[in-house]
Amino acid sequence: MEKGLIYVISVAVVIIAVLSLGILSLSSSPQVIQPPNPSQYLGGHWSLYSSYVTNQGVQGLEKEYYYRFVDSNSDWLIYIKMIFKSSTYARDYVNSLGFSGNLTLYTSIEGFNENVVLIQGNTVTEVIYVGTTSQVPIGSLIGIAYLG
């Protein structure tokens, strides 16, 4: 009986250790932000041109995810998700862009360039379209911001 009990306890300890290590590794793995596919919202074929992840550059920034896409017309779509230490830092950043007020969604259009800025708590999502010959529906850019 003692050998059986020792065996059961040993197996239980191993299972608990494996589960604990798995939980720790899951919680310590970095979060990866994947932007929505621009082709689904804007049509055409968009390819990822460049991307980076950083935690430097803006006061209160915890993590910034940057993705730049390009289409066959050389139009750009830039998707940026910034996670700040608090909503105050997020609001300060948006104010530094020239937007003010207490809205959660801001848009601007200048020629073929369109910009959407979405604030959700301590997270700011920017979707910037830089067109060469035309605009895209601003609603599509808003959709990308909300779904990203």
Side-chain angles (χ1 to χ4, degrees), residues 43-101:
H45 178 72
W46 291 84
S47 301
L48 183 63
Y49 183 79
S50 65
S51 65
Y52 66 80
V53 178
T54 187
N55 61 358
Q56 300 176 2
V58 179
Q59 185 176 9
L61 181 67
E62 286 188 346
K63 195 74 75 167
E64 176 183 338
Y65 302 88
Y66 173 97
Y67 299 90
R68 181 168 35 141
F69 297 89
V70 65
D71 72 357
S72 58
N73 297 322
S74 298
D75 297 336
W76 288 5
L77 181 90
I78 299 169
Y79 177 91
I80 305 168
K81 182 163 289 241
M82 302 173 84
I83 302 169
F84 290 90
K85 293 178 182 173
S86 73
S87 59
T88 302
Y89 285 117
R91 178 64 59 190
D92 289 346
Y93 172 73
V94 171
N95 289 340
S96 76
L97 297 176
F99 299 107
S100 61

Side-chain angles (χ1 to χ4, degrees), residues 19-31:
L19 289 174
S20 296
L21 289 173
I23 291 169
L24 290 174
S25 67
L26 286 176
S27 64
S28 65
S29 63
Q31 181 184 12

